Short mmCIF file of all heavy atoms in Angstrom, two decimals:
data_model
loop_
_atom_site.label_atom_id
_atom_site.label_comp_id
_atom_site.label_asym_id
_atom_site.label_seq_id
_atom_site.Cartn_x
_atom_site.Cartn_y
_atom_site.Cartn_z
N MET W 1 -14.14 -30.34 2.81
CA MET W 1 -12.72 -30.57 2.91
C MET W 1 -12.14 -29.95 4.18
O MET W 1 -11.31 -30.53 4.83
CB MET W 1 -12.04 -30.01 1.67
CG MET W 1 -10.60 -30.41 1.58
SD MET W 1 -10.53 -32.15 1.22
CE MET W 1 -8.85 -32.34 0.84
N LEU W 2 -12.59 -28.76 4.54
CA LEU W 2 -12.04 -28.09 5.71
C LEU W 2 -12.43 -28.79 7.01
O LEU W 2 -11.70 -28.73 7.98
CB LEU W 2 -12.49 -26.63 5.75
CG LEU W 2 -11.89 -25.73 4.68
CD1 LEU W 2 -12.50 -24.35 4.78
CD2 LEU W 2 -10.39 -25.68 4.80
N GLY W 3 -13.57 -29.45 7.02
CA GLY W 3 -14.00 -30.14 8.23
C GLY W 3 -13.04 -31.25 8.64
O GLY W 3 -12.87 -31.54 9.81
N GLN W 4 -12.39 -31.85 7.67
CA GLN W 4 -11.45 -32.93 7.98
C GLN W 4 -10.25 -32.40 8.75
O GLN W 4 -9.74 -33.06 9.65
CB GLN W 4 -11.01 -33.61 6.70
CG GLN W 4 -12.13 -34.34 6.00
CD GLN W 4 -11.72 -34.83 4.63
OE1 GLN W 4 -10.64 -34.54 4.15
NE2 GLN W 4 -12.61 -35.58 4.01
N HIS W 5 -9.78 -31.22 8.41
CA HIS W 5 -8.63 -30.65 9.11
C HIS W 5 -9.00 -30.28 10.55
O HIS W 5 -8.22 -30.52 11.47
CB HIS W 5 -8.11 -29.42 8.38
CG HIS W 5 -7.60 -29.72 7.01
ND1 HIS W 5 -6.45 -30.43 6.80
CD2 HIS W 5 -8.11 -29.44 5.79
CE1 HIS W 5 -6.25 -30.56 5.50
NE2 HIS W 5 -7.26 -29.96 4.86
N ARG W 6 -10.18 -29.71 10.75
CA ARG W 6 -10.60 -29.35 12.11
C ARG W 6 -10.78 -30.60 12.95
O ARG W 6 -10.42 -30.64 14.13
CB ARG W 6 -11.89 -28.54 12.06
CG ARG W 6 -11.71 -27.14 11.52
CD ARG W 6 -12.96 -26.32 11.75
NE ARG W 6 -14.14 -26.92 11.17
CZ ARG W 6 -14.65 -26.62 9.98
NH1 ARG W 6 -14.06 -25.72 9.24
NH2 ARG W 6 -15.73 -27.21 9.53
N THR W 7 -11.34 -31.65 12.37
CA THR W 7 -11.55 -32.89 13.12
C THR W 7 -10.21 -33.49 13.52
O THR W 7 -10.04 -33.96 14.64
CB THR W 7 -12.36 -33.88 12.27
OG1 THR W 7 -13.56 -33.25 11.86
CG2 THR W 7 -12.70 -35.12 13.07
N LEU W 8 -9.26 -33.48 12.61
CA LEU W 8 -7.93 -34.00 12.93
C LEU W 8 -7.28 -33.20 14.06
O LEU W 8 -6.68 -33.79 14.96
CB LEU W 8 -7.04 -33.97 11.68
CG LEU W 8 -5.63 -34.49 11.86
CD1 LEU W 8 -5.66 -35.97 12.23
CD2 LEU W 8 -4.82 -34.28 10.60
N ASN W 9 -7.43 -31.89 14.04
CA ASN W 9 -6.87 -31.07 15.11
C ASN W 9 -7.51 -31.40 16.45
O ASN W 9 -6.84 -31.47 17.47
CB ASN W 9 -7.06 -29.59 14.80
CG ASN W 9 -6.16 -29.12 13.68
OD1 ASN W 9 -5.16 -29.76 13.39
ND2 ASN W 9 -6.53 -28.03 13.06
N THR W 10 -8.82 -31.62 16.46
CA THR W 10 -9.51 -31.97 17.70
C THR W 10 -9.05 -33.32 18.21
O THR W 10 -8.81 -33.51 19.41
CB THR W 10 -11.04 -31.99 17.48
OG1 THR W 10 -11.43 -30.71 16.97
CG2 THR W 10 -11.77 -32.26 18.77
N VAL W 11 -8.90 -34.28 17.32
CA VAL W 11 -8.43 -35.61 17.72
C VAL W 11 -7.01 -35.53 18.27
O VAL W 11 -6.68 -36.21 19.25
CB VAL W 11 -8.53 -36.59 16.53
CG1 VAL W 11 -7.84 -37.89 16.83
CG2 VAL W 11 -9.99 -36.82 16.18
N LEU W 12 -6.18 -34.71 17.67
CA LEU W 12 -4.81 -34.58 18.17
C LEU W 12 -4.77 -33.96 19.57
O LEU W 12 -3.94 -34.35 20.39
CB LEU W 12 -3.97 -33.76 17.19
CG LEU W 12 -3.59 -34.49 15.91
CD1 LEU W 12 -2.85 -33.54 14.97
CD2 LEU W 12 -2.78 -35.72 16.18
N ILE W 13 -5.66 -33.02 19.85
CA ILE W 13 -5.72 -32.45 21.20
C ILE W 13 -6.08 -33.53 22.21
O ILE W 13 -5.46 -33.66 23.26
CB ILE W 13 -6.72 -31.28 21.26
CG1 ILE W 13 -6.17 -30.08 20.50
CG2 ILE W 13 -7.02 -30.89 22.71
CD1 ILE W 13 -7.15 -28.95 20.35
N VAL W 14 -7.09 -34.34 21.89
CA VAL W 14 -7.50 -35.41 22.80
C VAL W 14 -6.39 -36.44 22.92
O VAL W 14 -6.11 -36.93 24.01
CB VAL W 14 -8.82 -36.05 22.31
CG1 VAL W 14 -9.18 -37.26 23.14
CG2 VAL W 14 -9.94 -35.03 22.35
N PHE W 15 -5.72 -36.76 21.81
CA PHE W 15 -4.61 -37.71 21.86
C PHE W 15 -3.51 -37.22 22.78
O PHE W 15 -2.97 -37.98 23.59
CB PHE W 15 -4.05 -37.96 20.46
CG PHE W 15 -2.77 -38.75 20.46
CD1 PHE W 15 -2.79 -40.11 20.68
CD2 PHE W 15 -1.55 -38.11 20.28
CE1 PHE W 15 -1.61 -40.84 20.70
CE2 PHE W 15 -0.38 -38.82 20.30
CZ PHE W 15 -0.40 -40.19 20.51
N LEU W 16 -3.14 -35.95 22.67
CA LEU W 16 -2.09 -35.41 23.52
C LEU W 16 -2.47 -35.47 24.99
O LEU W 16 -1.64 -35.80 25.85
CB LEU W 16 -1.76 -33.99 23.10
CG LEU W 16 -1.00 -33.85 21.78
CD1 LEU W 16 -0.85 -32.38 21.42
CD2 LEU W 16 0.34 -34.53 21.84
N LEU W 17 -3.71 -35.15 25.30
CA LEU W 17 -4.15 -35.22 26.71
C LEU W 17 -4.13 -36.65 27.21
O LEU W 17 -3.73 -36.92 28.36
CB LEU W 17 -5.53 -34.59 26.85
CG LEU W 17 -5.57 -33.08 26.66
CD1 LEU W 17 -7.00 -32.59 26.67
CD2 LEU W 17 -4.75 -32.38 27.71
N LEU W 18 -4.57 -37.60 26.39
CA LEU W 18 -4.52 -39.00 26.80
C LEU W 18 -3.09 -39.51 26.90
O LEU W 18 -2.77 -40.34 27.76
CB LEU W 18 -5.34 -39.87 25.86
CG LEU W 18 -6.85 -39.66 25.94
CD1 LEU W 18 -7.56 -40.49 24.89
CD2 LEU W 18 -7.37 -39.99 27.32
N TRP W 19 -2.21 -39.03 26.04
CA TRP W 19 -0.81 -39.41 26.11
C TRP W 19 -0.19 -38.92 27.42
O TRP W 19 0.57 -39.63 28.07
CB TRP W 19 -0.05 -38.84 24.92
CG TRP W 19 1.39 -39.26 24.88
CD1 TRP W 19 2.47 -38.47 25.12
CD2 TRP W 19 1.90 -40.57 24.62
NE1 TRP W 19 3.61 -39.20 25.01
CE2 TRP W 19 3.30 -40.49 24.71
CE3 TRP W 19 1.30 -41.78 24.32
CZ2 TRP W 19 4.10 -41.61 24.51
CZ3 TRP W 19 2.11 -42.89 24.12
CH2 TRP W 19 3.49 -42.79 24.21
N ILE W 20 -0.55 -37.71 27.84
CA ILE W 20 -0.07 -37.19 29.12
C ILE W 20 -0.62 -38.04 30.26
O ILE W 20 0.09 -38.32 31.23
CB ILE W 20 -0.48 -35.71 29.27
CG1 ILE W 20 0.30 -34.87 28.27
CG2 ILE W 20 -0.26 -35.21 30.69
CD1 ILE W 20 -0.18 -33.44 28.14
N LEU W 21 -1.86 -38.50 30.15
CA LEU W 21 -2.43 -39.38 31.17
C LEU W 21 -1.66 -40.70 31.24
O LEU W 21 -1.37 -41.19 32.34
CB LEU W 21 -3.91 -39.65 30.87
CG LEU W 21 -4.61 -40.62 31.81
CD1 LEU W 21 -4.68 -40.04 33.21
CD2 LEU W 21 -5.99 -40.96 31.30
N VAL W 22 -1.29 -41.27 30.11
CA VAL W 22 -0.52 -42.51 30.10
C VAL W 22 0.83 -42.30 30.76
O VAL W 22 1.27 -43.12 31.57
CB VAL W 22 -0.37 -43.05 28.66
CG1 VAL W 22 0.67 -44.14 28.59
CG2 VAL W 22 -1.69 -43.54 28.14
N ILE W 23 1.49 -41.21 30.43
CA ILE W 23 2.78 -40.91 31.06
C ILE W 23 2.61 -40.75 32.56
O ILE W 23 3.41 -41.25 33.35
CB ILE W 23 3.41 -39.65 30.42
CG1 ILE W 23 3.83 -39.96 28.99
CG2 ILE W 23 4.60 -39.16 31.24
CD1 ILE W 23 4.27 -38.75 28.22
N HIS W 24 1.54 -40.09 32.96
CA HIS W 24 1.26 -39.91 34.39
C HIS W 24 1.08 -41.26 35.08
O HIS W 24 1.62 -41.49 36.16
CB HIS W 24 0.03 -39.03 34.56
CG HIS W 24 -0.48 -38.99 35.97
ND1 HIS W 24 0.20 -38.35 36.97
CD2 HIS W 24 -1.59 -39.52 36.53
CE1 HIS W 24 -0.48 -38.48 38.11
NE2 HIS W 24 -1.57 -39.19 37.85
N LEU W 25 0.33 -42.15 34.46
CA LEU W 25 0.09 -43.46 35.07
C LEU W 25 1.37 -44.28 35.17
O LEU W 25 1.60 -44.97 36.17
CB LEU W 25 -0.97 -44.21 34.29
CG LEU W 25 -2.38 -43.62 34.37
CD1 LEU W 25 -3.32 -44.38 33.44
CD2 LEU W 25 -2.89 -43.64 35.79
N VAL W 26 2.21 -44.21 34.17
CA VAL W 26 3.49 -44.93 34.22
C VAL W 26 4.38 -44.35 35.30
O VAL W 26 5.00 -45.09 36.08
CB VAL W 26 4.17 -44.88 32.84
CG1 VAL W 26 5.61 -45.38 32.92
CG2 VAL W 26 3.39 -45.71 31.84
N LEU W 27 4.44 -43.03 35.38
CA LEU W 27 5.26 -42.41 36.42
C LEU W 27 4.72 -42.71 37.81
O LEU W 27 5.48 -42.90 38.76
CB LEU W 27 5.33 -40.90 36.20
CG LEU W 27 6.15 -40.44 35.00
CD1 LEU W 27 6.07 -38.93 34.86
CD2 LEU W 27 7.59 -40.89 35.12
N GLN W 28 3.41 -42.77 37.92
CA GLN W 28 2.81 -43.06 39.22
C GLN W 28 3.16 -44.47 39.68
O GLN W 28 3.34 -44.71 40.86
CB GLN W 28 1.30 -42.90 39.14
CG GLN W 28 0.60 -43.02 40.47
CD GLN W 28 -0.89 -42.77 40.35
OE1 GLN W 28 -1.42 -42.68 39.25
NE2 GLN W 28 -1.56 -42.66 41.46
N LYS W 29 3.30 -45.37 38.75
CA LYS W 29 3.64 -46.75 39.11
C LYS W 29 5.10 -46.89 39.52
O LYS W 29 5.41 -47.66 40.41
CB LYS W 29 3.34 -47.67 37.94
CG LYS W 29 3.58 -49.13 38.24
CD LYS W 29 3.03 -50.00 37.16
CE LYS W 29 3.29 -51.46 37.42
NZ LYS W 29 2.52 -52.01 38.50
N PHE W 30 5.99 -46.11 38.91
CA PHE W 30 7.41 -46.31 39.13
C PHE W 30 8.11 -45.23 39.94
O PHE W 30 9.28 -45.36 40.24
CB PHE W 30 8.12 -46.45 37.77
CG PHE W 30 7.70 -47.68 37.02
CD1 PHE W 30 6.96 -47.57 35.87
CD2 PHE W 30 8.02 -48.94 37.48
CE1 PHE W 30 6.56 -48.69 35.17
CE2 PHE W 30 7.63 -50.07 36.80
CZ PHE W 30 6.90 -49.95 35.64
N ILE W 31 7.42 -44.14 40.28
CA ILE W 31 8.06 -43.06 41.04
C ILE W 31 7.32 -42.87 42.36
O ILE W 31 6.13 -43.16 42.49
CB ILE W 31 8.07 -41.75 40.21
CG1 ILE W 31 9.01 -41.94 39.03
CG2 ILE W 31 8.49 -40.56 41.03
CD1 ILE W 31 9.21 -40.70 38.21
N ASP W 32 8.01 -42.33 43.33
CA ASP W 32 7.47 -42.08 44.66
C ASP W 32 6.20 -41.24 44.58
O ASP W 32 6.10 -40.30 43.80
CB ASP W 32 8.52 -41.38 45.51
CG ASP W 32 8.12 -41.26 46.96
OD1 ASP W 32 7.26 -42.04 47.40
OD2 ASP W 32 8.66 -40.38 47.65
N GLU W 33 5.23 -41.54 45.43
CA GLU W 33 3.94 -40.86 45.42
C GLU W 33 4.03 -39.40 45.85
O GLU W 33 3.19 -38.59 45.47
CB GLU W 33 2.95 -41.59 46.32
CG GLU W 33 2.56 -42.95 45.79
CD GLU W 33 1.57 -43.65 46.70
OE1 GLU W 33 1.05 -42.99 47.61
OE2 GLU W 33 1.33 -44.84 46.50
N ASN W 34 5.03 -39.03 46.62
CA ASN W 34 5.15 -37.65 47.08
C ASN W 34 5.41 -36.69 45.92
O ASN W 34 4.98 -35.54 45.95
CB ASN W 34 6.26 -37.53 48.11
CG ASN W 34 5.92 -38.27 49.38
OD1 ASN W 34 4.75 -38.42 49.71
ND2 ASN W 34 6.93 -38.75 50.06
N ILE W 35 6.10 -37.17 44.90
CA ILE W 35 6.42 -36.31 43.76
C ILE W 35 5.16 -35.99 42.97
O ILE W 35 4.97 -34.88 42.47
CB ILE W 35 7.48 -36.99 42.87
CG1 ILE W 35 8.78 -37.16 43.64
CG2 ILE W 35 7.71 -36.20 41.60
CD1 ILE W 35 9.81 -38.01 42.94
N LEU W 36 4.27 -36.94 42.82
CA LEU W 36 3.09 -36.79 41.99
C LEU W 36 1.83 -36.38 42.76
O LEU W 36 0.75 -36.37 42.19
CB LEU W 36 2.82 -38.09 41.24
CG LEU W 36 3.93 -38.54 40.30
CD1 LEU W 36 3.62 -39.90 39.73
CD2 LEU W 36 4.11 -37.52 39.20
N SER W 37 1.97 -36.02 44.02
CA SER W 37 0.79 -35.70 44.81
C SER W 37 0.07 -34.46 44.29
O SER W 37 -1.15 -34.36 44.41
CB SER W 37 1.17 -35.52 46.28
OG SER W 37 2.04 -34.42 46.41
N ALA W 38 0.78 -33.53 43.69
CA ALA W 38 0.14 -32.33 43.15
C ALA W 38 -0.74 -32.66 41.95
O ALA W 38 -1.78 -32.02 41.75
CB ALA W 38 1.19 -31.31 42.77
N LEU W 39 -0.38 -33.64 41.15
CA LEU W 39 -1.16 -34.00 39.98
C LEU W 39 -2.41 -34.80 40.33
O LEU W 39 -3.36 -34.82 39.57
CB LEU W 39 -0.31 -34.79 38.99
CG LEU W 39 0.82 -34.01 38.33
CD1 LEU W 39 1.65 -34.94 37.47
CD2 LEU W 39 0.27 -32.88 37.50
N THR W 40 -2.39 -35.50 41.44
CA THR W 40 -3.53 -36.33 41.81
C THR W 40 -4.54 -35.60 42.67
O THR W 40 -5.53 -36.20 43.09
CB THR W 40 -3.04 -37.59 42.54
OG1 THR W 40 -2.31 -37.20 43.70
CG2 THR W 40 -2.16 -38.44 41.64
N ASN W 41 -4.31 -34.34 42.91
CA ASN W 41 -5.25 -33.53 43.69
C ASN W 41 -6.56 -33.39 42.90
O ASN W 41 -6.55 -33.15 41.70
CB ASN W 41 -4.62 -32.16 43.95
CG ASN W 41 -5.45 -31.34 44.90
OD1 ASN W 41 -6.50 -31.76 45.36
ND2 ASN W 41 -4.97 -30.15 45.18
N LYS W 42 -7.68 -33.54 43.57
CA LYS W 42 -8.98 -33.47 42.90
C LYS W 42 -9.22 -32.11 42.27
O LYS W 42 -9.78 -32.01 41.18
CB LYS W 42 -10.10 -33.80 43.89
CG LYS W 42 -11.46 -33.86 43.24
CD LYS W 42 -12.54 -34.25 44.22
CE LYS W 42 -13.87 -34.30 43.50
NZ LYS W 42 -14.96 -34.66 44.37
N THR W 43 -8.78 -31.05 42.92
CA THR W 43 -8.95 -29.71 42.37
C THR W 43 -8.21 -29.56 41.05
O THR W 43 -8.74 -28.99 40.10
CB THR W 43 -8.45 -28.66 43.38
OG1 THR W 43 -9.10 -28.87 44.63
CG2 THR W 43 -8.71 -27.26 42.88
N ASN W 44 -6.99 -30.07 40.98
CA ASN W 44 -6.22 -29.99 39.74
C ASN W 44 -6.86 -30.79 38.63
O ASN W 44 -6.84 -30.37 37.47
CB ASN W 44 -4.79 -30.46 39.97
CG ASN W 44 -4.00 -29.49 40.81
OD1 ASN W 44 -4.39 -28.34 40.97
ND2 ASN W 44 -2.91 -29.96 41.37
N LYS W 45 -7.44 -31.94 38.95
CA LYS W 45 -8.11 -32.74 37.94
C LYS W 45 -9.33 -31.99 37.38
O LYS W 45 -9.57 -32.00 36.17
CB LYS W 45 -8.55 -34.08 38.52
CG LYS W 45 -7.42 -35.02 38.78
CD LYS W 45 -7.94 -36.32 39.35
CE LYS W 45 -6.82 -37.24 39.73
NZ LYS W 45 -7.30 -38.49 40.32
N VAL W 46 -10.08 -31.34 38.25
CA VAL W 46 -11.25 -30.59 37.80
C VAL W 46 -10.81 -29.41 36.93
O VAL W 46 -11.43 -29.13 35.89
CB VAL W 46 -12.08 -30.12 39.01
CG1 VAL W 46 -13.15 -29.13 38.60
CG2 VAL W 46 -12.70 -31.30 39.72
N LEU W 47 -9.75 -28.72 37.31
CA LEU W 47 -9.25 -27.60 36.52
C LEU W 47 -8.77 -28.06 35.14
O LEU W 47 -9.03 -27.40 34.14
CB LEU W 47 -8.14 -26.88 37.26
CG LEU W 47 -8.57 -26.06 38.47
CD1 LEU W 47 -7.35 -25.52 39.20
CD2 LEU W 47 -9.49 -24.94 38.05
N LEU W 48 -8.09 -29.19 35.08
CA LEU W 48 -7.63 -29.70 33.79
C LEU W 48 -8.79 -30.12 32.91
O LEU W 48 -8.78 -29.89 31.70
CB LEU W 48 -6.68 -30.88 34.00
CG LEU W 48 -5.30 -30.53 34.54
CD1 LEU W 48 -4.52 -31.81 34.86
CD2 LEU W 48 -4.55 -29.68 33.56
N PHE W 49 -9.82 -30.72 33.51
CA PHE W 49 -11.00 -31.10 32.74
C PHE W 49 -11.73 -29.86 32.21
O PHE W 49 -12.16 -29.84 31.06
CB PHE W 49 -11.94 -31.95 33.60
CG PHE W 49 -13.17 -32.40 32.86
CD1 PHE W 49 -13.08 -33.39 31.91
CD2 PHE W 49 -14.39 -31.83 33.11
CE1 PHE W 49 -14.20 -33.81 31.21
CE2 PHE W 49 -15.52 -32.23 32.42
CZ PHE W 49 -15.42 -33.24 31.47
N CYS W 50 -11.84 -28.83 33.02
CA CYS W 50 -12.48 -27.58 32.57
C CYS W 50 -11.67 -26.93 31.46
O CYS W 50 -12.24 -26.38 30.51
CB CYS W 50 -12.64 -26.62 33.74
SG CYS W 50 -13.88 -27.15 34.93
N ALA W 51 -10.34 -27.01 31.54
CA ALA W 51 -9.50 -26.47 30.47
C ALA W 51 -9.72 -27.24 29.18
O ALA W 51 -9.77 -26.65 28.09
CB ALA W 51 -8.03 -26.51 30.89
N LEU W 52 -9.89 -28.55 29.27
CA LEU W 52 -10.16 -29.36 28.08
C LEU W 52 -11.48 -28.96 27.46
O LEU W 52 -11.56 -28.74 26.24
CB LEU W 52 -10.19 -30.85 28.45
CG LEU W 52 -10.68 -31.79 27.35
CD1 LEU W 52 -9.69 -31.82 26.20
CD2 LEU W 52 -10.94 -33.16 27.90
N ILE W 53 -12.52 -28.83 28.27
CA ILE W 53 -13.83 -28.43 27.75
C ILE W 53 -13.75 -27.04 27.14
O ILE W 53 -14.32 -26.78 26.07
CB ILE W 53 -14.88 -28.50 28.87
CG1 ILE W 53 -15.06 -29.95 29.35
CG2 ILE W 53 -16.21 -27.93 28.42
CD1 ILE W 53 -15.53 -30.90 28.28
N PHE W 54 -13.04 -26.14 27.81
CA PHE W 54 -12.91 -24.77 27.30
C PHE W 54 -12.24 -24.75 25.93
O PHE W 54 -12.70 -24.08 25.01
CB PHE W 54 -12.13 -23.91 28.29
CG PHE W 54 -11.91 -22.51 27.83
CD1 PHE W 54 -12.94 -21.60 27.87
CD2 PHE W 54 -10.67 -22.10 27.35
CE1 PHE W 54 -12.75 -20.29 27.44
CE2 PHE W 54 -10.47 -20.81 26.91
CZ PHE W 54 -11.51 -19.90 26.96
N THR W 55 -11.15 -25.50 25.79
CA THR W 55 -10.43 -25.47 24.52
C THR W 55 -11.20 -26.16 23.41
O THR W 55 -11.11 -25.76 22.25
CB THR W 55 -9.05 -26.13 24.64
OG1 THR W 55 -9.20 -27.47 25.10
CG2 THR W 55 -8.16 -25.35 25.58
N LEU W 56 -11.97 -27.18 23.73
CA LEU W 56 -12.70 -27.90 22.69
C LEU W 56 -13.98 -27.19 22.27
O LEU W 56 -14.34 -27.21 21.09
CB LEU W 56 -13.03 -29.32 23.15
CG LEU W 56 -11.85 -30.27 23.21
CD1 LEU W 56 -12.31 -31.63 23.73
CD2 LEU W 56 -11.21 -30.43 21.85
N LEU W 57 -14.68 -26.57 23.19
CA LEU W 57 -15.99 -26.02 22.87
C LEU W 57 -16.02 -24.51 22.67
O LEU W 57 -16.86 -24.01 21.92
CB LEU W 57 -16.99 -26.40 23.97
CG LEU W 57 -17.25 -27.89 24.12
CD1 LEU W 57 -18.21 -28.14 25.25
CD2 LEU W 57 -17.76 -28.49 22.83
N LEU W 58 -15.15 -23.79 23.30
CA LEU W 58 -15.25 -22.34 23.26
C LEU W 58 -14.30 -21.68 22.27
O LEU W 58 -14.51 -20.52 21.92
CB LEU W 58 -15.04 -21.76 24.66
CG LEU W 58 -16.08 -22.20 25.69
CD1 LEU W 58 -15.76 -21.59 27.04
CD2 LEU W 58 -17.48 -21.86 25.25
N THR W 59 -13.28 -22.38 21.85
CA THR W 59 -12.43 -21.79 20.81
C THR W 59 -13.11 -22.02 19.47
O THR W 59 -13.89 -22.94 19.29
CB THR W 59 -11.03 -22.44 20.81
OG1 THR W 59 -11.17 -23.83 20.59
CG2 THR W 59 -10.31 -22.18 22.12
N GLY W 60 -12.84 -21.17 18.51
CA GLY W 60 -13.53 -21.23 17.23
C GLY W 60 -13.35 -22.54 16.49
O GLY W 60 -14.31 -23.15 16.01
N ASN W 61 -12.13 -23.03 16.38
CA ASN W 61 -11.86 -24.24 15.63
C ASN W 61 -12.43 -25.47 16.32
O ASN W 61 -13.00 -26.35 15.68
CB ASN W 61 -10.36 -24.39 15.41
CG ASN W 61 -10.04 -25.34 14.29
OD1 ASN W 61 -10.88 -25.58 13.43
ND2 ASN W 61 -8.85 -25.87 14.30
N GLY W 62 -12.28 -25.57 17.62
CA GLY W 62 -12.80 -26.72 18.35
C GLY W 62 -14.33 -26.79 18.33
O GLY W 62 -14.90 -27.87 18.23
N ARG W 63 -14.98 -25.64 18.41
CA ARG W 63 -16.44 -25.62 18.38
C ARG W 63 -16.96 -26.10 17.04
O ARG W 63 -17.88 -26.91 16.97
CB ARG W 63 -16.94 -24.21 18.70
CG ARG W 63 -18.46 -24.11 18.74
CD ARG W 63 -18.93 -22.70 19.07
NE ARG W 63 -18.43 -21.73 18.12
CZ ARG W 63 -17.73 -20.65 18.44
NH1 ARG W 63 -17.47 -20.39 19.69
NH2 ARG W 63 -17.29 -19.81 17.52
N VAL W 64 -16.35 -25.64 15.96
CA VAL W 64 -16.79 -26.04 14.62
C VAL W 64 -16.50 -27.52 14.40
O VAL W 64 -17.32 -28.25 13.84
CB VAL W 64 -16.11 -25.17 13.55
CG1 VAL W 64 -16.45 -25.64 12.16
CG2 VAL W 64 -16.52 -23.72 13.72
N ALA W 65 -15.34 -28.01 14.89
CA ALA W 65 -15.02 -29.43 14.73
C ALA W 65 -15.98 -30.29 15.53
O ALA W 65 -16.36 -31.38 15.10
CB ALA W 65 -13.58 -29.69 15.16
N THR W 66 -16.39 -29.83 16.70
CA THR W 66 -17.36 -30.57 17.50
C THR W 66 -18.69 -30.66 16.78
O THR W 66 -19.32 -31.72 16.75
CB THR W 66 -17.55 -29.89 18.87
OG1 THR W 66 -16.29 -29.79 19.52
CG2 THR W 66 -18.48 -30.70 19.75
N PHE W 67 -19.11 -29.58 16.14
CA PHE W 67 -20.35 -29.63 15.35
C PHE W 67 -20.20 -30.54 14.15
O PHE W 67 -21.15 -31.20 13.73
CB PHE W 67 -20.77 -28.24 14.93
CG PHE W 67 -21.27 -27.37 16.06
CD1 PHE W 67 -20.85 -26.07 16.15
CD2 PHE W 67 -22.12 -27.87 17.02
CE1 PHE W 67 -21.28 -25.25 17.20
CE2 PHE W 67 -22.57 -27.07 18.07
CZ PHE W 67 -22.14 -25.77 18.16
N ASP W 68 -18.99 -30.61 13.55
CA ASP W 68 -18.75 -31.51 12.43
C ASP W 68 -18.87 -32.97 12.85
O ASP W 68 -19.37 -33.80 12.09
CB ASP W 68 -17.37 -31.27 11.83
CG ASP W 68 -17.28 -29.97 11.07
OD1 ASP W 68 -18.34 -29.41 10.74
OD2 ASP W 68 -16.15 -29.53 10.80
N LEU W 69 -18.40 -33.26 14.06
CA LEU W 69 -18.47 -34.65 14.53
C LEU W 69 -19.90 -35.04 14.82
O LEU W 69 -20.32 -36.13 14.63
CB LEU W 69 -17.59 -34.84 15.77
CG LEU W 69 -16.10 -34.77 15.53
CD1 LEU W 69 -15.36 -34.82 16.86
CD2 LEU W 69 -15.64 -35.89 14.64
#
């Protein structure tokens, strides 16, 4: 029973990150590129990806949910 709650939490984290990506893509299409240049930097993308991996695999709840999946 507890595995279902951890899995839902992990899915919600991924959903939120993908939702932010969708918002970013919409803003990129309709707003000037100079405003979003900081978000499209390769270094920032790598840092955000590392933060995602860190939160999913190294925190206690995310690690257990990953093993459940």
Side-chain angles (χ1 to χ4, degrees):
M1 190 70 169
L2 290 176
Q4 294 171 354
H5 297 290
R6 289 191 303 264
T7 305
L8 180 63
N9 289 339
T10 304
V11 170
L12 286 175
I13 289 172
V14 174
F15 170 77
L16 288 175
L17 291 174
L18 290 176
W19 183 251
I20 291 170
L21 176 65
V22 167
I23 291 172
H24 169 70
L25 292 174
V26 169
L27 289 177
Q28 187 177 10
K29 183 169 179 71
F30 294 111
I31 292 185
D32 188 22
E33 292 180 11
N34 293 332
I35 296 171
L36 299 174
S37 64
L39 293 175
T40 59
N41 188 359
K42 185 177 180 180
T43 306
N44 289 343
K45 288 180 185 179
V46 170
L47 288 174
L48 288 173
F49 181 73
C50 290
L52 171 68
I53 296 299
F54 178 76
T55 57
L56 287 178
L57 297 178
L58 298 179
T59 59
N61 199 22
R63 182 179 58 235
V64 175
T66 303
F67 290 136
D68 288 344
L69 290 174

